[in-house]
Every structure is written in C-alpha cells, then in structure tokens.
Amino acid sequence: MSAASPVRHFLDIHQYDTATLRAILDRALTLKHAKDHPQPYRGKTLALIFEKPSTRTRVSFEVGMRQLGGEVITLTGKEIQLGHGETIADTGRVLSRFVDIIMLRTNDEAKVHELAEAATVPVINGLTDVSHPCQIMADILTFEEHRGPIQGKTVCWTGDANNVCQSWIHAAVRFDFELRIACPQELEPSAKTMAWVAAEGGRVHVTRDPDAAAAGAHAMVTDTWVSMHNKDAERRHALLKPYQINERLMGLASSDAIFMHCLPAHRGEEVSAAVMDGPQSVIWDEAENRMHAQKGILNWCLTP
C-alpha cells in the first residue's frame, strides 16, 4: 500500500510493515479486554460481501462492528454478482457512496484488489483462494496470549500449502519467527512465494517430512484437506494422509506446544480428535480472536 494513499485497505499481511501489524494487534488486545465496549463508529456502516459463505467470518465481523457502535449490511453471491453485469470497479465506486468500509470474501484475489483500487473507502480481504490475512492476525494474537511473543519461535504447518498457509508465510517474515511447512511436493508453496521469502530474509522451510517439521515446534497448525473450490478430494486425501496431526506428531513438538486450526475441521482427517479436543488445543480461543483481531483491523482502517 502506498504511503500516500488516502485510504487504508487491509489486503495482505506482507503489504504492511511490522510496526503497522503490531499496532493492529495491540489495539485488538486493548479492545478485547476493555470493560466497556468503546463505540467510536456510531453512524458508520460496514458492508460484508460474501461470494464464498462462512460462519466465522460473517459472525465475527458483524458482532465486532456492532460492538464498535457501527451498523452492518451483508450481501451474498445471490444478491450481488461481483463483476457480472456491473464491473467490480463500478460496484466499489457505488458502495463507497453508501458505506464506510467494505469486506470482501471471494475466490479471486484480483477482485479484492480491483475493488480496493476503485473504492474510496477501506477494503478488507476476508479471504481469497490466495490468502487469509484476517485469520492469521487472529492466530498470532492467540499464540501470543498463550505463549508470549512469537518472535524467534517455531511454527509447524502440515498439509496443503493453501491460502491460510500463504498468510502464515507472510506472517513468519513480518513477525520474525521460523515456519516449517511439511507438505507433498504437489501442494507446496509457489516458487514466487519462496523467492519473496528469500528476498526478505525470512525463515520459512519446506520439507516432505512432518516429523522433522514438528520437532521442537512451539505451535502445530493445519487446515482442512479439501476446501470448497477443490474438485479432487480422493486424490488430496491420499496425498495428505501422512501429514495428519495426531498424538504421535504432537509428541515431537515442544512439551508446551499449542495446536491451532482455523476451522471448520474434520476430526480423523487432518487432525485426530484427541489432539483437536485435547489440552494443547486452543482452537476455540483462536475462533473468538477472529472477532478481536478484526476489530483491530477495522479500527486501523477507519483511523484517519
């Protein structure tokens, strides 16, 4: 994002410096623990656009904005066909006349960027097939609540290097921690992403060996093997079966390692029920922190 930009969009973690990201998380923590919900956004409206459905994203943004005093309007793919009949840019220009901030959850990363370029109000990336920045801001908040500063720590990701993993990669560089990714070759991060990591001096390592990735890690993280846009479920299950986080793999991590998952999860697939429901799992705190992290993002975007 250009420093000269009059609008503060929140599009991808790697676009912002560490100080900015830290300020967002600090504000999120302050808002989370405020005895009375401060309501600075009375009279302001957040538009939520969902081309992909979501329980957590919708509820966390709606409740969060209302706690901040604002109003919310929610539009689904059935109600608004972004880029069909009206250009995305024109939709952004029109919505900017009605609302104060926009969140878009979609498949296509290009739609978020086109919307942000045309809108005269902030745009938040609620998820694309390429990244999921709001989720990982919540994950960093969750880790630090349980284990202190994440800088210098080790996080292990197992499974598909998908959009959630992509934002973990961005976070590893910006928050200065080591990220080990255990995944099959067919589902590893792109060469472009790893070239960016190298150029930034990040500590992101890709391996086929989940045991090596898990050894001594302070957090174990995974995601569902089959997302809404995947058409090859049987093949993906076969590829990813060796990467399940189970009691044995958790036992290789640090004794105080935590388990995280952005949800929804499938017990017995990417994670065993014993780990997901066990004492090292912080998934429900993680889910709650989506709301608090996003309140920090909303606050940053709406602060002149």
Side-chain angles (χ1 to χ4, degrees), residues 55-246:
T55 301
R56 276 153 294 279
T57 298
R58 177 168 181 170
V59 175
S60 59
F61 266 112
E62 283 203 16
V63 176
M65 186 60 171
R66 290 192 172 116
Q67 285 185 359
L68 293 170
E71 298 294 331
V72 181
I73 181 170
T74 301
L75 302 167
T76 68
K78 294 180 180 179
E79 297 163 314
I80 177 173
Q81 295 188 354
L82 206 60
H84 299 279
E86 179 177 63
T87 67
I88 296 167
D90 284 352
T91 298
R93 294 182 184 105
V94 169
L95 287 178
S96 296
R97 299 299 182 101
F98 298 132
V99 304
D100 301 280
I101 187 166
I102 303 166
M103 188 286 304
L104 174 60
R105 181 180 171 95
T106 183
N107 292 322
D108 189 353
E109 180 190 33
K111 289 184 177 181
V112 173
H113 291 282
E114 186 176 348
L115 187 68
E117 287 174 7
T120 56
V121 299
V123 172
I124 296 173
N125 173 5
L127 172 141
T128 70
D129 285 350
V130 174
S131 64
H132 198 355
C134 293
Q135 177 64 57
I136 276 47
M137 292 293 281
D139 291 354
I140 301 300
L141 181 63
T142 304
F143 181 94
E144 296 194 335
E145 281 188 317
H146 284 268
R147 296 292 182 263
I150 199 169
Q151 183 178 19
K153 296 296 198 318
T154 300
V155 174
C156 169
W157 172 279
T158 71
D160 180 10
N162 62 9
N163 53 348
V164 180
C165 183
Q166 177 84 351
S167 288
W168 268 109
I169 292 170
H170 295 159
V173 173
R174 289 293 179 255
F175 289 97
D176 190 24
F177 59 87
E178 179 183 4
L179 177 63
R180 301 175 190 158
I181 302 169
C183 63
Q185 183 174 1
E186 295 92 328
L187 301 175
E188 68 182 10
S190 70
K192 180 180 178 181
T193 293
M194 296 309 295
W196 174 81
V197 171
E200 294 284 328
R203 291 174 292 155
V204 178
H205 311 287
V206 180
T207 178
R208 308 285 167 251
D209 184 356
D211 289 13
H218 301 99
M220 299 289 291
V221 192
T222 190
D223 193 10
T224 181
W225 290 345
V226 181
S227 296
M228 286 178 275
H229 64 282
N230 299 137
K231 307 298 183 185
D232 53 349
E234 187 174 338
R235 174 177 169 273
R236 292 175 66 85
H237 276 90
L239 280 173
L240 291 165
K241 188 174 181 179
Y243 297 92
Q244 182 192 73
I245 296 183
N246 48 38

